[in-house]
Amino acid sequence: MQFLENFTPELTVASPGRINFIGEHTDYNMGYVLPTAIGNKITFKLQKNGTDNFCNVYSVGYKGFSLDLRNISISDTEWENYVLGVLNEISKLTDSVKGFDCTIESNLPLGSGLSSSAAMECGLAYGLNELFGLGLSKIAIVELSQRAEHSYVGTQCGIMDQFASVMSKEGNVILLDCQSLEYQYIPIDIHPYKIIMLNTKVEHTLASSEYNTRKLECEEGVSIMKKSNPDIKSLRDATRYMLENSKNEMTQTVYNRCSFIIDENKRVLKMVDAFQRKDLEAVGNLLYEAHQGISKLYEVSCPESDFLVDFAKTNAKVLGARQTGGGFGGCTLNIVHESAVEDFKREAADAYKKTFNIDLEAFEVRPSGGTKIVNF
């Protein structure tokens, strides 16, 4: 794009992806989650261009596009909608955004379950807030980014991904109550173990019908339980007793979805306790438990993820593993002893290639800080 010839950015923003230790699909059910940002990130460089309404956006690896702030609408090109959705949401709050140029570069594997979408939304919103002095709080950035994904991308996501991308603190996970948005930083020390991600290279599509269908199935379960428990508003309020009392009115599928979410909320709190006691064996067992539910009850796993988790179980140096992210592919999260990391990565890659003829991607992640301005 022509603007790149004279591009001299005024600020640079680094917006990280995230992992979620446990608490999958509980966020849009108003439950608990335990995420943290990671070092892999999307980098934004921005400058004002002196116009009132004209903007240029260029993403390394994609074609760039231009837009008029007076005429924002949903694009046929999916990645552009993350940008357009954020601009649309900001326009409802302020008219202070003027013409700008922006470049975007990512080292987050797309479709890997590391929430490149939230990193895209939050990084742009954070950068525009700084560039134009909009005065938006971090929570406002989190919330408008979530709304952007709902309205322009079409994924009815919970708030976890955006919250983790903006609010994370290095060396900690976040215990987030998605109902009240109260949160607590939980220090994490898993030495001598490391967090190893195995990327299946199977891309999930969160905007597909399956993700939104899960949300509807959970809402159906709530509406059934509400008949005899009028005070419950979401699965966050449901108990195992309520579920069993209403089981005969539910399809097996709806029962399974609700069962997973109720148990998963409990697992999040158990995981916090295990981290605080540094009971790493309990941490690993909870990961395996969660994956069983993800695969068999919530049915958002895939053969590739199931294979990698089963493979992890054969290695005594791996404490636990599960699929992480929205589902249907992406990455598995593995807690691996530092002495066995290289052997584990190599052996997993060999077994995966032999079974699926796909080159596995393996990398370490660490709990990192949230979206921020980068000074060079």
Side-chain angles (χ1 to χ4, degrees):
M1 298 181 73
Q2 190 171 359
F3 83 91
L4 293 170
E5 296 174 9
N6 300 304
F7 187 57
T8 51
E10 296 174 52
L11 63 86
T12 300
V13 174
S15 189
R18 64 97 189 94
I19 57 171
N20 182 28
F21 256 93
I22 204 158
E24 219 59 85
H25 294 271
T26 49
D27 59 345
Y28 56 79
N29 286 294
M30 300 298 109
Y32 297 106
V33 290
L34 199 65
T36 177
I38 58 175
N40 301 69
K41 61 187 180 295
I42 299 178
T43 301
F44 298 78
K45 295 182 179 180
L46 300 105
Q47 69 174 13
K48 298 175 184 175
N49 63 22
T51 70
D52 284 338
N53 301 294
F54 196 68
C55 305
N56 298 294
V57 180
Y58 174 78
S59 178
V60 176
Y62 295 91
K63 292 181 179 178
F65 70 105
S66 299
L67 63 107
D68 188 326
L69 291 171
R70 297 167 296 186
N71 185 28
I72 299 172
S73 60
I74 294 175
S75 170
D76 291 333
T77 304
E78 184 179 356
W79 80 268
E80 294 178 6
N81 287 320
Y82 296 104
V83 174
L84 296 167
V86 167
L87 290 170
N88 179 59
E89 291 301 327
I90 289 177
S91 74
K92 298 175 184 178
L93 302 174
T94 176
D95 59 2
S96 296
V97 173
K98 305 300 181 184
F100 67 89
D101 301 325
C102 175
T103 65
I104 304 169
E105 186 168 4
S106 175
N107 67 1
L108 271 171
L110 292 176
S112 60
L114 300 178
S115 201
S116 56
S117 56
M120 176 78 81
E121 295 150 357
C122 296
L124 179 63
Y126 197 99
L128 294 175
N129 187 47
E130 292 288 328
L131 189 65
F132 292 102
L134 305 181
L136 300 174
S137 68
K138 286 186 174 182
I139 291 296
I141 290 170
V142 167
E143 292 175 336
L144 78 85
S145 296
Q146 181 196 25
R147 294 195 300 271
E149 187 145 346
H150 287 185
S151 60
Y152 267 59
V153 181
T155 303
Q156 299 303 306
C157 62
I159 204 164
M160 175 186 70
D161 293 350
Q162 292 81 7
F163 197 98
S165 189
V166 173
M167 303 297 291
S168 287
K169 180 180 177 182
E170 186 173 356
N172 291 258
V173 290
I174 305 172
L175 173 60
L176 172 62
D177 180 337
C178 295
Q179 181 168 268
S180 67
L181 293 190
E182 293 178 356
Y183 63 99
Q184 179 183 352
Y185 292 112
I186 308 295
I188 173 173
D189 176 14
I190 61 170
H191 181 78
Y193 289 83
K194 294 182 179 294
I195 307 167
I196 304 299
M197 309 301 292
L198 300 180
N199 185 1
T200 64
K201 301 286 189 73
V202 177
E203 288 196 18
H204 64 275
T205 52
L206 288 183
S208 72
S209 61
E210 287 296 331
Y211 185 96
N212 293 334
T213 295
R214 295 301 182 280
K215 189 168 185 287
L216 291 172
E217 288 165 343
C218 292
E219 289 169 356
E220 182 180 339
V222 170
S223 69
I224 292 169
M225 285 186 278
K226 201 175 181 70
K227 295 175 187 176
S228 51
N229 304 277
D231 292 337
I232 76 167
K233 298 182 178 66
S234 69
L235 285 178
R236 161 62 178 278
D237 304 319
T239 64
R240 173 62 57 181
Y241 178 79
M242 293 176 187
L243 179 62
E244 297 304 328
N245 275 357
S246 301
K247 182 177 181 179
N248 291 338
E249 299 178 58
M250 298 179 181
T251 65
Q252 186 65 46
T253 296
V254 168
Y255 172 82
N256 287 347
R257 306 300 190 246
C258 295
S259 183
F260 169 74
I261 295 298
I262 289 169
D263 287 345
E264 187 77 346
N265 270 321
K266 293 177 182 176
R267 279 191 285 266
V268 174
L269 300 180
K270 288 178 181 176
M271 182 72 84
V272 169
D273 180 64
F275 277 137
Q276 290 175 331
R277 292 185 291 107
K278 202 180 175 184
D279 184 347
L280 301 186
E281 185 175 339
V283 168
N285 288 337
L286 286 165
L287 292 177
Y288 283 137
E289 260 184 51
H291 185 79
Q292 179 73 9
I294 287 165
S295 179
K296 305 305 180 188
L297 296 178
Y298 219 68
E299 296 183 280
V300 292
S301 188
C302 62
E304 294 86 354
S305 293
D306 288 344
F307 174 85
L308 289 173
V309 172
D310 286 342
F311 179 82
K313 288 178 180 177
T314 68
N315 190 325
K317 297 287 188 177
V318 181
L319 288 181
R322 73 171 186 87
Q323 179 183 269
T324 187
F328 311 107
C331 289
T332 63
L333 182 155
N334 304 264
I335 308 297
V336 186
H337 195 281
E338 61 185 8
S339 67
V341 166
E342 294 309 315
D343 286 344
F344 174 70
K345 291 195 293 188
R346 184 185 66 256
E347 291 164 4
D350 289 346
Y352 192 68
K353 178 75 170 180
K354 183 177 180 179
T355 305
F356 297 103
N357 197 30
I358 299 173
D359 292 322
L360 189 69
E361 181 183 17
F363 52 96
E364 181 185 353
V365 297
R366 296 183 179 90
S368 302
T371 304
K372 63 182 180 181
I373 303 298
V374 179
N375 296 314
F376 291 101

